[in-house]
Amino acid sequence: MEKALLQERKDIKLTGVERKLGREDVIVSKTDLQGKITYANNVLCRVSGYSLTELMGAPHSLIRHPGMPRCVFKFLWDTIQSGNECFAYVNNRARNGDNYWVFAHVTPTFDSKGQIIGYHSNRRAPARSAIEAIEPIYRLLLDIERSSTDRRLGLEKSFAALVAYLEKNKVTYDEFIFSITPN
């Protein structure tokens, strides 16, 4: 089933329609160390358009929107794999091609010996002002990624551009994210 879902994902045409989470909506999911979904709540199923059966065991990237720069996910994965939490604005793609923005809080899950055994993410509706602030940066990073014929090199260049942006503004990634997040 996973292979069929991933093929279907490639064929999904973007609709340009944005789904908006309600203020009370909280999307929750858990993954194993490889990013395969081990838990998904009803809100994720409803918003993404996938059933719980379809999501279980599928790679979390199933809902990745093609307009998201890969370097943001590299930063997120580097952060959580090192044992730290990460906050990020993420644009996801629903099964029918709609998109939905989330403000994600991703954390590693530890066993009793302190070893990372998976990851947990809570996502809420982001403020429109935060989306408006992050979109131009994401477009720039995505343009850098797409400008290279070598995907790995494009990722490296966009990641370097993200790091340079943070250094130029003398902020950490978390400081940047929270600077555009309304109280």
Side-chain angles (χ1 to χ4, degrees):
M1 181 189 318
E2 177 185 323
K3 194 172 188 178
L5 279 175
L6 291 176
Q7 181 57 47
E8 175 187 309
R9 177 183 177 269
K10 289 179 182 177
D11 298 334
I12 294 173
K13 303 273 189 269
L14 299 178
T15 64
V17 175
E18 182 178 348
R19 296 180 179 194
K20 294 189 177 155
L21 297 176
R23 292 183 56 82
E24 69 286 347
D25 286 335
V26 178
I27 294 174
V28 180
S29 61
K30 295 180 183 180
T31 70
D32 64 14
L33 294 173
Q34 289 74 45
K36 298 213 178 197
I37 298 171
T38 59
Y39 172 83
N41 73 348
N42 291 335
V43 180
L44 177 55
C45 294
R46 175 176 48 84
V47 174
S48 72
Y50 290 98
S51 71
L52 181 60
T53 302
E54 291 171 319
L55 289 173
M56 294 303 292
H60 211 286
S61 61
L62 179 68
I63 59 173
R64 182 179 177 270
H65 191 282
M68 274 297 298
R70 293 181 8 226
C71 69
V72 172
F73 293 111
K74 176 184 175 2
F75 185 88
L76 185 145
W77 275 102
D78 288 353
T79 301
I80 62 176
Q81 287 175 331
S82 72
N84 296 300
E85 67 184 347
C86 188
F87 293 87
Y89 289 96
V90 178
N91 191 11
N92 289 315
R93 176 175 55 184
R95 184 179 204 159
N96 72 343
D98 292 353
N99 73 297
Y100 57 99
W101 280 94
V102 295
F103 181 55
H105 177 214
V106 187
T107 61
T109 303
F110 299 94
D111 66 12
S112 61
K113 296 178 183 169
Q115 298 298 308
I116 298 173
I117 57 171
Y119 304 100
H120 178 269
S121 179
N122 291 325
R123 277 105 60 212
R124 296 185 175 275
R128 181 58 43 191
S129 62
I131 294 170
E132 291 168 358
I134 202 80
E135 279 184 314
I137 296 162
Y138 282 5
R139 273 194 301 275
L140 173 67
L141 295 171
L142 195 58
D143 287 346
I144 293 168
E145 288 177 10
R146 290 177 175 166
S147 70
S148 180
T149 55
D150 180 309
R151 282 180 47 87
R152 184 186 54 76
L153 184 59
L155 174 61
E156 289 173 9
K157 287 180 178 180
S158 67
F159 188 81
L162 175 60
V163 171
Y165 176 86
L166 298 172
E167 288 173 353
K168 176 184 170 197
N169 289 286
K170 298 182 173 134
V171 293
T172 66
Y173 179 82
D174 285 343
E175 289 170 334
F176 165 66
I177 291 297
F178 287 111
S179 73
I180 64 172
T181 304
N183 293 336

